[in-house]
Amino acid sequence: MTSCLRSISVRREGGPRTTVSWFPGSSSESIEVTCKAAVEVAADAMILAIDDDGCVVALTEHVPEGTVLRIEVVGEADAEGDAAQPLLEDDDASRQFDAQLLKFERISAHLSNERTWLAWIRTALALVSVGFTLRAEADNDDRRRWRIVYFVAGCLFLLCVDLTWLTGWFRYRRTKDILLMPKDELATRKFNRLSVRVQAQFLGALLVATGAIFVAGGWKRTL
């Protein structure tokens, strides 16, 4: 009876060959199910049977004796990609949640950083007021030399306004980046914040010069 059997070999990519046999008159569905079971593929999966020439072969009882077929599951790579996609999305969501949680934990530091930035702005506005006051003093003074002195001092104060604003802004941005760093990076990273030394020295020199101008100018006017 075994002489009536027809046999082929099936295999998965990189897997061993398995012999599948059937009797004449077997249905195409039963042959396909047997081939799936031989290569350990789920019965409800869609498969392609490909011969050595790369042609897709229909699994029927008329497949020639001794044919070697490679079984490929249709959509298997897409299914793996779809399974991995939620993992990637979950990973992104987890990182976003950690970032928001870290920001919430350091909310007091963030608010303090914003208040410091507002203080820089108030300082810059005060310097604008001083600059324009000196400019008005230059217009009102009838002494040519002192008009020049007041005008130069006013221009220097307006220059200090830009320096103060930029110093405050860069320090605010850098501090905000530091507060968003994970805790394990804070111990190894350098902060590299913009120093206030240049702005403080420039402003200090202007204040000393302004005081000297005020005393000298008022003294000369009273003589």
Side-chain angles (χ1 to χ4, degrees):
M1 180 177 289
T2 56
S3 60
C4 298
L5 286 174
R6 178 168 294 180
S7 301
I8 62 173
S9 296
V10 294
R11 63 181 178 85
R12 294 289 299 273
E13 183 68 31
R17 292 184 181 182
T18 303
T19 301
V20 176
S21 303
W22 64 87
F23 289 100
S26 299
S27 65
S28 300
E29 290 78 8
S30 62
I31 297 173
E32 181 176 340
V33 170
T34 304
C35 290
K36 290 178 181 178
V39 295
E40 299 180 351
V41 173
D44 58 347
M46 295 181 62
I47 63 172
L48 293 178
I50 304 173
D51 63 11
D52 293 335
D53 296 328
C55 298
V56 178
V57 177
L59 290 174
T60 67
E61 64 171 326
H62 303 294
V63 177
E65 176 76 19
T67 302
V68 178
L69 299 177
R70 185 179 78 254
I71 304 299
E72 291 187 1
V73 179
V74 177
E76 185 175 36
D78 295 338
E80 293 177 354
D82 293 341
Q85 185 65 26
L87 296 178
L88 295 176
E89 293 177 354
D90 291 343
D91 190 45
D92 292 339
S94 177
R95 284 197 297 269
Q96 293 177 0
F97 176 77
D98 291 341
Q100 293 297 327
L101 180 61
L102 183 62
K103 187 173 182 180
F104 180 77
E105 291 176 349
R106 301 174 181 175
I107 187 64
S108 297
H110 280 282
L111 294 176
S112 177
N113 185 39
E114 292 177 357
R115 287 193 297 269
T116 303
W117 164 234
L118 293 176
W120 281 101
I121 294 177
R122 288 194 297 269
T123 303
L125 293 176
L127 293 175
V128 170
S129 177
V130 174
F132 279 99
T133 299
L134 290 172
R135 179 69 175 83
E137 187 65 23
D139 293 337
N140 296 329
D141 201 306
D142 54 356
R143 296 165 297 178
R144 182 174 183 275
R145 178 181 299 178
W146 286 102
R147 286 202 303 269
I148 296 175
V149 172
Y150 288 136
F151 176 77
V152 172
C155 291
L156 291 176
F157 267 98
L158 294 180
L159 179 62
C160 190
V161 170
D162 294 334
L163 181 60
T164 301
W165 186 89
L166 291 173
T167 301
W169 171 252
F170 284 119
R171 287 177 64 85
Y172 164 75
R173 289 299 307 175
R174 183 55 183 160
T175 302
K176 187 174 182 179
D177 293 339
I178 292 171
L179 291 175
L180 293 177
M181 289 182 182
K183 296 179 180 179
D184 55 348
E185 293 186 16
L186 291 176
T188 58
R189 295 283 295 275
K190 293 184 178 180
F191 291 170
N192 295 325
R193 292 197 307 170
L194 183 64
S195 175
V196 299
R197 184 177 58 184
V198 175
Q199 190 273 344
Q201 291 177 348
F202 185 50
L203 179 57
L206 279 179
L207 294 177
V208 172
T210 302
I213 292 171
F214 178 81
V215 173
W219 179 261
K220 293 290 186 181
R221 187 182 290 271
T222 58
L223 293 180

